């Protein structure tokens, strides 16, 4: 007698698409608070954040999108006295992680790929607007894009000139547990 054929495995339930806020969406106070909380938690764990991003200000967040401001100081400049490429790369990494956090994630992952195009210079005293958004997020990888722009005078209604733009891919399943405490029991 032949054994019965096992029932086929149920089809996997598709993951619903991540609905992201379009450009220009109003900031959501609860999302901004969540992103700020993630930033406050990870900031002490990276010396580079203390050196380059100690004065960055998150000003807006909506689902999958963040905006921050940074006033350029001498620490941000290269030997030509313009924005250093390493700072642009750091902003790409940081902003991509914050955009991932704006989807509700508590962890921002680790970088697997970054592309930065340098478009125009920025100098000491310029204020930069850093905007990043999630273009796609799955279970393992998150894809983000970003623009760094000079801030133009208030009331002009226009976005400032682009300084740098690019894309960033993050591996989202990376987790490193905190080091054990040295407390003796």
């Amino acid at each position: 007698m032949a054994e019965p054929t096992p029932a086929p495995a149920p089809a996997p339930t598709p993951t619903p698409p991540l609905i992201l806020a379009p450009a220009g969406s109003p900031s959501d106070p609860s999302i901004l608070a969540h992103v700020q909380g993630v930033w406050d938690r990870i900031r002490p764990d990276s010396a580079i954040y203390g050196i380059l991003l100690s004065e960055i200000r998150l000003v807006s967040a909506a689902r999958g999108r963040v905006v921050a401001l940074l006033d350029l100081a001498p620490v941000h400049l290269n030997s030509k006295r313009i924005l250093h490429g390493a700072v642009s790369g750091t902003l790409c990494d940081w902003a991509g992680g914050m955009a991932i956090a704006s989807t509700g994630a508590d962890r921002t992952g680790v970088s697997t790929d970054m592309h930065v195009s340098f478009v125009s210079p920025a100098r000491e005293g310029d204020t930069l607007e850093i905007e990043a958004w999630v273009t796609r997020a799955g279970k393992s990888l998150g894809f983000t894009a970003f623009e760094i722009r000079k801030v133009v005078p208030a009331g002009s209604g226009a976005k400032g000139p682009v300084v740098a733009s690019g894309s960033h891919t993050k591996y989202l399943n990376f987790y490193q547990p905190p080091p054990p405490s040295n407390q003796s029991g």
Side-chain angles (χ1 to χ4, degrees):
M1 173 178 238
E3 292 194 27
T5 305
T13 305
T15 303
L18 183 62
I19 307 299
L20 304 172
S25 295
S27 186
D28 180 316
S30 65
I31 293 174
L32 182 59
H34 174 75
V35 174
Q36 185 68 55
V38 170
W39 172 228
D40 291 343
R41 190 185 78 247
I42 67 173
R43 179 187 347 217
D45 296 332
S46 173
I48 199 74
Y49 291 155
I51 295 166
L52 298 178
L53 302 182
S54 63
E55 300 300 319
I56 200 161
R57 304 175 307 279
L58 281 159
V59 295
S60 175
R63 187 163 173 80
R65 184 173 296 273
V66 296
V67 177
L69 298 175
L70 178 65
D71 299 322
L72 291 186
V75 70
H76 301 118
L77 308 179
N78 63 21
S79 62
K80 314 302 183 280
R81 309 304 300 155
I82 59 174
L83 179 65
H84 198 293
V87 176
S88 297
T90 300
L91 289 168
C92 167
D93 181 33
W94 175 83
M98 294 302 102
I100 294 291
S102 74
T103 67
D106 289 318
R107 295 180 295 188
T108 60
V110 294
S111 299
T112 62
D113 188 54
M114 289 181 8
H115 293 268
V116 180
S117 295
F118 305 99
V119 181
S120 66
R123 293 178 165 72
E124 182 179 356
D126 287 342
T127 298
L128 300 181
E129 178 181 70
I130 303 95
E131 183 172 10
W133 57 95
V134 175
T135 58
R136 185 172 181 207
K139 292 179 182 176
S140 297
L141 293 175
F143 301 87
T144 67
F146 76 98
E147 280 188 347
I148 300 170
R149 297 181 292 271
K150 289 184 193 177
V151 172
V152 295
S156 69
K159 289 186 175 185
V162 174
V163 174
S165 65
S167 62
H168 185 207
T169 305
K170 299 204 79 147
Y171 177 67
L172 302 176
N173 290 332
F174 182 83
Y175 176 70
Q176 184 172 355
S181 69
N182 290 334
Q183 298 175 347
S184 56

